[in-house]
Amino acid sequence: MYWTEFFIPTNKEIPADAKIPSHQLMIRSGMIKQESSGIYSWLPLGFKVLKKIEKIVREEQEKAGAIEMLMPTLQAVELWKESGRYDGYGKEMLKIIDRHNRFLIYGPTNEEQVTEIFRAFVKSYKNLPLNLFHIQWKFRDEIRPRFGVMRGREFLMKDAYSFDLNEEESKKSYYKMFISYIKIFKRLKINTIPVVADSGEIGGSLSHEFSIITNTGEGQVYCDKRLFDLELDNDDLNNLSDLERAVGNYTQFYSATEDKHNEKIFKEKVPEEFRLKGKAIEVGHIFSFGEKYSSPMKAYITNKEGKNVSVYMGSYGIGVSRLVAAIIEYSHDKKGIIWPNSVTPFHVGIINVQADNKECLKVIQEIKSEFEENNLEVLVDDRDESVGKKYADMDLIGLPYILTIGPRDIKEKKVDVKFRHTDTKENLSIEGAINRITSLAKEKTRS
RNA sequence: CGGAGCGUAGCGCAGCCCGGUAGCGCACCGGUCUGGGGGACCGGGGGUCGUGGGUUCAAAUCCCGCCGCUCCGACCA
């Protein structure tokens, strides 16, 4: 992709309304544009990242046995009255009246909807377990939206819903999702902390939040750093005891939110060098809530004995749009964003020092196609701008590998390579640079 | 929802207190020179001052209503 043929409206000025780094950087790098309080357009660069995160989430959820579908954004309020949540959720629900004077809501979540689908089609224990997920826009009419897409009113969320015959089976589904979440966050290169959580409005007994620690989150979290070094074996875990062991590996370490934190236990359990406390951004939340919805909504299944019983459910959310901001909070410097390879909008940025130098353009085109043959995405800054501006913009939008092509170096078939992650530069041969970056990018994109 | 503040060119702001027909930086357009970290010079374009009303000979400026946005607090992926 050439910069002049794409659309990246960058801005040098820090927008007055944006207070936290991710919000400022997303606006300055032309990823998003605010349309209303808590409502944003996703411009091409932001959209690319959003889609990449979405893809990773989808792949991992499917590996864990969840099946993708799509439910509508608008829901009839009747379902919410049936579950008893209509009053509980209250003003956060955006209500819409259609021309027939029917009340609809822009869904803040989909437990009711999916339960309705389930009860319409599934009648037998033989069809269980089942886990359905979708990635859909939600709307919660927050009292005070803030921090850009971190706490918007409209947001993209992956929500999965599990259906099981009984509590034990349901636990299995829950643990599978727990492990799947660990894998997702690993691929996104963010350290998340699973914290035992209140289940809030969703309700239920077993619940974990997955948070990342940054300077600008909301609410304190305390944890044991050793959590971050844990490795998952890649085997598919299918029986409860294996799953329990894998999850237990994580939950054995101390982690607590402010309200549940116990300084004494913290100090007993966690050696000083592993103690970590900071502000948390919640990026995922999983719940097991049994019959909370299936019972009032009569989502019954027939068990082996021929009896009708309420299905056991759980729900599992990931804030996809929030993750874009969360990753930036986690990975940026004064100059701009630093994307992990797995979600970067382009892997390689190429700066053309002299916009009208034909020889440079030719070399760039060759380098570009070679990267593209290796499935790396390339953005060539071919604008007729000063070099300084091009560097500043490249750093701002956060591409991991930045090549400088200029008349000085191409005579010797060399190129300057900047590694954004380490903020280091090397002068390499063109072939060497291509090989090096290709292997680095692939290695880091996988894992 | 309680408290505070803001709305003037695409962005960041000054002007408002003390009323007299709107300004700065960046961005943008044309040109010349440049080009290895936001380059220089010359020449240009662009604003119903959020909106409705009131006071006044005269309102960006004073008064009232409305709308929008932001910040601090209580709530949420």
Side-chain angles (χ1 to χ4, degrees):
Chain A
M1 182 62 70
Y2 288 93
W3 192 297
T4 56
E5 290 168 5
F6 202 49
F7 181 65
I8 313 178
T10 59
N11 193 171
K12 192 161 137 182
E13 311 269 1
I14 297 173
D17 289 345
K19 305 298 169 194
I20 65 169
S22 63
H23 190 192
Q24 293 173 352
L25 290 171
M26 286 181 80
I27 291 172
R28 289 189 49 216
S29 63
M31 293 176 68
I32 54 168
K33 178 186 179 298
Q34 177 167 342
E35 301 298 356
S36 271
S37 179
I39 300 176
Y40 295 84
S41 287
W42 290 79
L43 306 181
L45 199 69
F47 190 57
K48 281 196 85 159
V49 176
L50 188 69
K51 285 287 167 188
K52 289 197 174 188
I53 295 173
E54 191 184 303
K55 182 162 178 267
I56 288 172
V57 171
R58 172 179 296 115
E59 285 171 5
E60 291 300 328
Q61 288 292 103
E62 285 179 341
K63 276 189 211 162
I67 306 163
E68 188 170 16
M69 64 178 302
L70 185 61
M71 290 179 267
T73 54
L74 296 181
Q75 303 177 21
V77 296
E78 283 74 16
L79 284 175
W80 287 70
K81 288 185 172 155
E82 238 186 284
S83 72
R85 257 209 305 186
Y86 185 70
D87 298 321
Y89 234 95
K91 290 185 172 166
E92 286 210 344
M93 291 192 295
L94 177 67
K95 291 161 184 104
I96 296 166
I97 303 170
D98 72 11
R99 62 161 69 187
H100 305 296
N101 229 15
R102 273 183 52 108
F103 280 71
L104 300 166
I105 56 162
Y106 197 119
T109 177
N110 288 68
E111 278 82 8
E112 282 80 359
Q113 190 99 72
V114 77
T115 304
E116 204 279 322
I117 291 168
F118 180 88
R119 73 181 175 188
F121 300 114
V122 184
K123 305 292 178 191
S124 161
Y125 75 96
K126 290 177 187 166
N127 297 314
L128 300 181
L130 180 65
N131 187 324
L132 297 171
F133 79 100
H134 75 342
I135 299 172
Q136 176 64 293
W137 292 93
K138 308 278 191 293
F139 196 95
R140 292 185 193 168
D141 202 357
E142 298 282 344
I143 295 166
R144 186 154 89 82
R146 64 187 114 168
F147 303 150
V149 299
M150 186 83 84
R151 178 83 83 84
R153 294 194 291 171
E154 189 183 46
F155 57 98
L156 187 63
M157 180 172 161
K158 185 285 303 180
D159 39 331
Y161 302 90
S162 65
F163 301 89
D164 289 285
L165 178 59
N166 55 39
E167 194 170 353
E168 186 173 305
E169 288 293 307
S170 182
K171 225 175 192 175
K172 212 165 108 180
S173 298
Y174 182 90
Y175 289 147
K176 269 192 177 180
M177 286 291 116
F178 188 108
I179 298 297
S180 176
Y181 274 36
I182 299 284
K183 290 181 178 172
I184 288 167
F185 298 131
K186 265 205 183 331
R187 284 182 67 182
L188 297 175
K189 302 289 173 200
I190 53 179
N191 289 329
T192 55
I193 311 153
V195 186
V196 175
D198 284 327
S199 40
E201 202 50 61
I202 311 276
S205 48
L206 187 55
S207 178
H208 285 90
E209 284 172 18
F210 292 80
S211 291
I212 70 169
I213 287 189
T214 70
N215 297 324
T216 48
E218 323 166 62
Q220 290 281 337
V221 185
Y222 302 79
C223 79
D224 188 327
K225 267 189 211 166
R226 284 174 291 185
L227 265 170
F228 304 147
D229 302 326
L230 293 173
E231 288 297 333
L232 277 172
D233 41 5
N234 265 332
D235 302 335
D236 282 336
L237 303 168
N238 266 309
N239 67 69
L240 188 55
S241 62
D242 287 347
L243 280 161
E244 237 156 19
R245 197 176 316 121
V247 171
N249 207 223
Y250 283 85
T251 52
Q252 66 175 310
F253 290 102
Y254 187 94
S255 71
T257 49
E258 222 163 349
D259 44 321
K260 299 229 175 95
H261 175 64
N262 183 319
E263 190 71 19
K264 199 167 150 239
I265 297 176
F266 187 50
K267 286 188 169 148
E268 272 169 28
K269 272 193 81 176
V270 188
E272 196 163 358
E273 69 265 37
F274 297 123
R275 285 178 209 154
L276 180 63
K277 87 172 193 189
K279 302 231 170 188
I281 296 166
E282 188 184 336
V283 291
H285 201 155
I286 59 178
F287 307 85
S288 179
F289 45 71
E291 302 161 292
K292 174 168 165 139
Y293 300 95
S294 57
S295 171
M297 293 184 68
K298 302 186 170 48
Y300 299 145
I301 41 165
T302 309
N303 67 13
K304 248 181 191 160
E305 286 75 43
K307 292 225 163 69
N308 285 342
V309 294
S310 305
V311 70
Y312 265 73
M313 293 176 59
S315 75
Y316 314 90
I318 286 184
V320 177
S321 51
R322 172 179 283 188
L323 271 169
V324 180
I327 292 168
I328 296 171
E329 284 297 321
Y330 201 80
S331 179
H332 69 270
D333 62 14
K334 310 101 240 150
K335 293 175 189 164
I337 301 165
I338 305 171
W339 288 116
N341 286 285
S342 54
V343 299
T344 186
F346 298 92
H347 301 91
V348 182
I350 299 181
I351 285 172
N352 185 10
V353 174
Q354 278 181 13
D356 54 359
N357 186 311
K358 298 228 164 57
E359 212 175 325
C360 288
L361 278 167
K362 196 175 141 246
V363 172
I364 285 171
Q365 206 181 52
E366 287 164 13
I367 296 175
K368 178 171 172 283
S369 357
E370 222 175 306
F371 277 123
E372 285 169 352
E373 276 161 29
N374 283 298
N375 289 318
L376 296 189
E377 289 173 277
V378 179
L379 178 68
V380 177
D381 192 344
D382 56 339
R383 293 174 299 172
D384 187 10
E385 293 285 356
S386 74
V387 185
K389 174 166 182 165
K390 296 189 202 184
Y391 279 121
D393 275 349
M394 245 351 146
D395 286 339
L396 177 62
I397 68 173
L399 308 191
Y401 309 103
I402 299 162
L403 307 193
T404 303
I405 304 292
R408 194 181 73 198
D409 279 345
I410 64 167
K411 289 194 189 92
E412 300 157 38
K413 298 210 180 307
K414 293 195 116 183
V415 62
D416 252 357
V417 183
K418 174 170 174 177
F419 299 86
R420 189 76 174 86
H421 293 279
T422 49
D423 198 28
T424 52
K425 283 183 194 168
E426 282 185 55
N427 196 255
L428 300 170
S429 72
I430 289 176
E431 275 319 301
I434 291 172
N435 292 336
R436 176 90 160 275
I437 291 170
T438 303
S439 65
L440 270 177
K442 285 197 169 162
E443 177 193 317
K444 290 197 177 171
T445 305
R446 298 263 163 79
S447 77

